[in-house]
Amino acid sequence: MKKVKLSDIAKMAGVSSITVSRALSTPEKVKADTCEKIQKIAQELGYIPNLMAKGLKSRSNTIGVIVPTIINPFFASAVKSIIRSANKTGYNCLFFTSDESQKIEQNAVNTLISYNIDGIIIAVISEDENYTPAYFSTLEKLHVPVVLLDRHIEAPHICGVYLDNVDSGYKLGKEVLLNNYQRVLIVSGSANSKVANSRLAGLKMAAEETHSNTIIDVIKADFNTQLAKELVQDYLSQHKPDAIIGLNNQITLGALEASVSHHYQLGADIHFYSIDEITTAKHFGISIPCIRHDVEEFGYHAVTQLIRAIESEQCDKLSDIIIRGTVVK
Amino acid sequence: MKKVKLSDIAKMAGVSSITVSRALSTPEKVKADTCEKIQKIAQELGYIPNLMAKGLKSRSNTIGVIVPTIINPFFASAVKSIIRSANKTGYNCLFFTSDESQKIEQNAVNTLISYNIDGIIIAVISEDENYTPAYFSTLEKLHVPVVLLDRHIEAPHICGVYLDNVDSGYKLGKEVLLNNYQRVLIVSGSANSKVANSRLAGLKMAAEETHSNTIIDVIKADFNTQLAKELVQDYLSQHKPDAIIGLNNQITLGALEASVSHHYQLGADIHFYSIDEITTAKHFGISIPCIRHDVEEFGYHAVTQLIRAIESEQCDKLSDIIIRGTVVK
DNA sequence: TTGAAAGCGCTAACAG
DNA sequence: CTGTTAGCGCTTTCAA
């Protein structure tokens, strides 16, 4: 059986296709009882509109979402909340992962353009402050609005939804320093990650303000588990900190694993703190005080900003939104 | 700036659009140097094909993927491997989550049909053996091939990629029974979940074969964390098992948490076993022997089967694929 | 309130 | 090897 199309319904209802089109998408433009009849027939035939045909003529009502990976629960939840927000507003989402590869990221953007998406929400691949991928100029030329997620890029006309990283660092620092630990290890992201550096700056602010005698060591790793684990293992063979602060969830996981391999008892010999929640910690009975961000909020703002940009056709005037986290013990 | 289209390239190259179309998608049908020239121009102009227009005429080369949630790492990895396999074969993926809701699932299917997808890979919302959603008949009528993922549904013409659940239960059972525990608790999925029941059957087979004196208790929960946690908490206030077997990763997490709340030391007072890997366990230094399934394999087969169905246009003749797990300590 | 015509960008079918 | 024609299903524009 072929797909039911507008003209099939039109034939049955004894009207033209355009009337059917109107009855289904702008019912106020069609006489009430015609409208009702058409909708009933559409229902019965199980009509499903062809977005390909629609998107060829008009806006697709679809937004593209790209994140580096869904294995990281932070992005998984962000995606979930974005999809939910978008659907509520009548937009579909096409979702891609860039898999930490610049090439795949570029492809994903191209594919989204291929699908005539109305706008893009993207968490770019790199934390590097100087990462400026080629596709930004393409998107700008095509007037496709972009909302950056979490990772900032220097581009004057692009708005974003970010975390208040300095604040996160500061709050977590205050929390840690309450304990008068002798030695604390901070495991940061890469040296040219703006996110990592801001979080670090916040921590340092807290430390300076507190005038504590705690010895604070800093390791620069990156935002993945593996490197953090290795570097913390090295560190632990020389020092024994009372607490370790991971500047994102992946780092904290790496630090935990390193500590386990040195036979420390988690949460007793060494206490852990994290920016980003370690959602599985509670299952293992380990308490990891953290900065939790309201991810629903995150998705909501990203979608709202994007849709405003789409519907006002002013990609370039929207402000950034900064989301502040809260300490959770 | 408007999007570059075939006719723009055609004009510049002094040929017709159809030649450009051929040069870009079936270059062997165009004279070599014309072809080269066209490709160069396309490159320079940054041509990105319009899939909406293409999909209107011909196959979209896009497959739809629906899973209940990406918060569950099993599905997250499955999606990842599906996307990777599909891209390798020249297919795009449109990805949706059904968020454990029948309505959202139905919508997702409709949206996919709207996008003219060539086929669908779906892990259905429910474990219930008798769940038969309405969209299956729609998809059948439209000749859209479907490959089921993980969760089986009784529909003669639909093939799937499943885990060998009996085998998983059996292998894990053997592993557990090596230890001569006095009392073991099995936390299963819901009573009418085929997956859960098969795993349970496998465990029982192992137990019968072993003639051990181990007392085996069974709790029927469901495949989510919360209920498992609550039921195990109740159980633990009456009995103290030496080991707990979770029949999927979410259940095991719930069981862990319940045990923590009863102040048992994980992996010492109570040992844990799981079907599906608990990927985070290693970060916490807890060893949870499990049945691990090769998720790459899973994605690969799902995509391969689907594409065979699409390209042969015989949706109904493909066999099921059963993936067997391995014990990982 | 409804309809007819035209066209979105691309490609299948057929000619040349 | 290349071009012409036509049409995919829908909506915009203009007219009735």
Side-chain angles (χ1 to χ4, degrees):
Chain A
M1 204 186 75
K2 290 292 293 175
K3 244 195 256 196
V4 178
K5 49 196 167 186
L6 285 189
S7 61
D8 297 326
I9 302 176
K11 224 172 287 168
M12 290 196 58
V15 295
S16 73
S17 335
I18 181 64
T19 305
V20 179
S21 167
R22 290 198 267 245
L24 297 177
S25 46
T26 51
E28 68 278 9
K29 292 188 178 167
V30 176
K31 199 169 38 156
D33 53 343
T34 322
C35 189
E36 208 170 304
K37 186 169 73 178
I38 291 174
Q39 285 173 344
K40 204 171 131 234
I41 297 177
Q43 179 79 48
E44 275 163 16
L45 295 185
Y47 172 70
I48 300 175
N50 185 329
L51 289 185
M52 294 275 172
K54 179 176 151 63
L56 208 49
K57 273 302 264 198
S58 57
R59 259 211 228 113
S60 61
N61 271 273
T62 301
I63 65 182
V65 180
I66 305 176
V67 296
T69 165
I70 40 169
I71 304 296
N72 183 330
F74 176 76
F75 288 121
S77 328
V79 166
K80 192 172 166 181
S81 83
I82 288 171
I83 293 176
R84 194 175 297 166
S85 288
N87 289 347
K88 254 186 222 153
T89 333
Y91 280 77
N92 272 313
C93 286
L94 297 187
F95 164 76
F96 289 82
T97 45
S98 50
D99 234 352
E100 312 287 0
S101 137
Q102 192 168 349
K103 199 174 139 215
I104 300 178
E105 182 175 75
Q106 174 71 57
N107 276 341
V109 172
N110 284 355
T111 308
L112 288 174
I113 295 175
S114 288
Y115 276 109
N116 265 359
I117 39 83
D118 298 334
I120 292 184
I121 296 175
I122 182 170
V124 295
I125 210 71
S126 164
E127 347 269 348
D128 191 322
E129 304 188 32
N130 304 309
Y131 179 55
T132 38
Y135 54 78
F136 276 107
S137 71
T138 315
L139 291 171
E140 197 194 347
K141 273 187 215 141
L142 296 176
H143 306 291
V144 175
V146 174
V147 170
L148 293 175
L149 204 66
D150 186 41
R151 297 174 177 180
H152 183 267
I153 277 186
E154 213 43 75
H157 53 286
I158 293 184
C159 79
V161 181
Y162 307 105
L163 305 179
D164 188 335
N165 291 303
V166 174
D167 182 70
S168 300
Y170 180 80
K171 281 178 180 158
L172 192 61
K174 282 292 192 184
E175 177 66 26
V176 173
L177 291 163
L178 285 178
N179 298 281
N180 282 314
Y181 295 125
Q182 289 218 337
R183 184 186 281 272
V184 169
L185 170 64
I186 298 173
V187 189
S188 176
S190 81
N192 43 14
S193 154
K194 185 162 182 175
V195 172
N197 289 334
S198 305
R199 291 176 178 185
L200 207 48
L203 280 161
K204 285 186 177 157
M205 271 175 55
E208 279 162 24
E209 211 177 285
T210 312
H211 304 296
S212 85
N213 294 320
T214 304
I215 300 167
I216 298 178
D217 293 322
V218 177
I219 292 179
K220 305 239 174 187
D222 62 22
F223 276 166
N224 298 305
T225 306
Q226 186 57 32
L227 182 59
K229 177 186 161 188
E230 289 165 14
L231 295 178
V232 173
Q233 273 176 330
D234 290 351
Y235 176 90
L236 288 179
S237 53
Q238 313 217 12
H239 307 283
K240 155 69 177 63
D242 303 299
I244 300 182
I245 307 177
L247 289 205
N248 86 338
N249 55 4
Q250 303 298 298
I251 288 178
T252 306
L253 290 174
L256 284 163
E257 203 178 334
S259 308
V260 162
S261 76
H262 277 260
H263 305 291
Y264 287 120
Q265 205 187 327
L266 307 182
D269 301 330
I270 302 181
H271 299 269
F272 290 85
Y273 296 84
S274 179
I275 292 184
D276 291 345
E277 204 171 1
I278 307 296
T279 43
T280 46
K282 70 167 185 290
H283 301 122
F284 294 93
I286 312 282
S287 151
I288 303 185
C290 67
I291 303 296
R292 179 197 285 160
H293 296 98
D294 183 337
V295 184
E296 275 304 317
E297 194 70 4
F298 209 62
Y300 167 79
H301 283 297
V303 170
T304 307
Q305 288 294 81
L306 186 64
I307 291 178
R308 286 179 59 201
I310 292 169
E311 299 188 345
S312 72
E313 295 182 5
Q314 305 201 332
C315 319
D316 47 357
K317 284 203 152 162
L318 294 171
S319 35
D320 290 341
I321 290 185
I322 309 290
I323 294 188
R324 210 155 276 166
T326 53
V327 178
V328 176
K329 299 187 196 182
Chain B
M1 206 184 75
K2 289 294 293 177
K3 244 196 255 197
V4 178
K5 50 195 165 186
L6 284 189
S7 61
D8 298 325
I9 302 176
K11 223 174 287 168
M12 289 195 61
V15 295
S16 72
S17 331
I18 183 67
T19 306
V20 178
S21 167
R22 288 198 266 247
L24 297 177
S25 48
T26 50
E28 68 278 9
K29 292 187 180 169
V30 176
K31 197 168 42 157
D33 53 343
T34 321
C35 188
E36 208 170 305
K37 187 169 71 178
I38 291 173
Q39 286 173 343
K40 206 172 128 232
I41 297 176
Q43 178 78 48
E44 276 164 13
L45 295 186
Y47 172 70
I48 300 176
N50 185 329
L51 289 185
M52 294 277 174
K54 180 178 151 62
L56 207 50
K57 267 306 258 199
S58 57
R59 264 213 225 110
S60 61
N61 270 273
T62 302
I63 65 182
V65 181
I66 304 176
V67 297
T69 164
I70 40 170
I71 305 296
N72 183 330
F74 176 76
F75 288 122
S77 327
V79 166
K80 192 171 166 180
S81 82
I82 288 171
I83 291 177
R84 192 175 298 167
S85 288
N87 289 347
K88 254 187 221 154
T89 334
Y91 279 78
N92 273 313
C93 286
L94 296 187
F95 164 76
F96 288 82
T97 45
S98 51
D99 235 351
E100 312 288 0
S101 139
Q102 192 168 349
K103 199 175 139 215
I104 300 179
E105 183 176 74
Q106 175 72 56
N107 276 341
V109 172
N110 284 355
T111 308
L112 288 173
I113 296 175
S114 287
Y115 276 110
N116 264 359
I117 38 84
D118 298 332
I120 292 184
I121 297 175
I122 182 170
V124 295
I125 211 70
S126 164
E127 349 267 349
D128 191 321
E129 306 187 31
N130 303 311
Y131 179 55
T132 38
Y135 53 79
F136 275 107
S137 70
T138 315
L139 291 171
E140 197 194 346
K141 274 187 215 140
L142 297 175
H143 305 291
V144 175
V146 174
V147 170
L148 293 175
L149 205 66
D150 186 39
R151 296 173 178 182
H152 183 266
I153 278 186
E154 215 43 74
H157 53 286
I158 293 182
C159 80
V161 181
Y162 307 105
L163 306 179
D164 188 336
N165 291 303
V166 175
D167 181 70
S168 299
Y170 179 80
K171 281 178 180 159
L172 192 62
K174 282 291 192 184
E175 176 66 26
V176 173
L177 292 163
L178 285 178
N179 298 279
N180 283 312
Y181 294 125
Q182 290 217 339
R183 184 186 280 273
V184 168
L185 170 64
I186 298 173
V187 189
S188 177
S190 82
N192 44 11
S193 154
K194 185 161 181 176
V195 171
N197 290 333
S198 305
R199 291 176 178 183
L200 207 48
L203 280 161
K204 286 186 176 156
M205 270 176 56
E208 279 161 25
E209 212 179 283
T210 312
H211 304 295
S212 85
N213 294 320
T214 304
I215 301 168
I216 298 178
D217 293 324
V218 177
I219 293 179
K220 305 239 174 187
D222 62 23
F223 276 166
N224 299 304
T225 306
Q226 186 57 32
L227 182 59
K229 177 187 161 188
E230 288 165 15
L231 295 177
V232 173
Q233 273 176 332
D234 290 350
Y235 176 90
L236 288 179
S237 53
Q238 313 219 13
H239 307 284
K240 154 71 175 62
D242 304 298
I244 300 182
I245 307 177
L247 290 204
N248 86 339
N249 54 5
Q250 304 296 299
I251 287 178
T252 306
L253 290 174
L256 284 163
E257 203 178 334
S259 308
V260 163
S261 78
H262 277 259
H263 304 292
Y264 287 120
Q265 205 186 326
L266 308 181
D269 300 331
I270 302 180
H271 300 268
F272 290 86
Y273 295 83
S274 179
I275 291 183
D276 292 345
E277 204 171 2
I278 307 296
T279 44
T280 46
K282 69 168 186 290
H283 301 122
F284 294 93
I286 313 283
S287 151
I288 303 184
C290 66
I291 304 295
R292 179 196 285 160
H293 295 98
D294 183 337
V295 184
E296 275 303 318
E297 193 70 3
F298 209 61
Y300 167 79
H301 283 296
V303 170
T304 307
Q305 287 296 80
L306 186 64
I307 291 179
R308 285 178 59 200
I310 292 169
E311 300 189 344
S312 72
E313 294 182 6
Q314 306 201 329
C315 320
D316 47 355
K317 283 202 149 162
L318 293 171
S319 35
D320 289 341
I321 290 186
I322 309 289
I323 295 191
R324 209 155 276 168
T326 53
V327 178
V328 175
K329 299 185 197 186

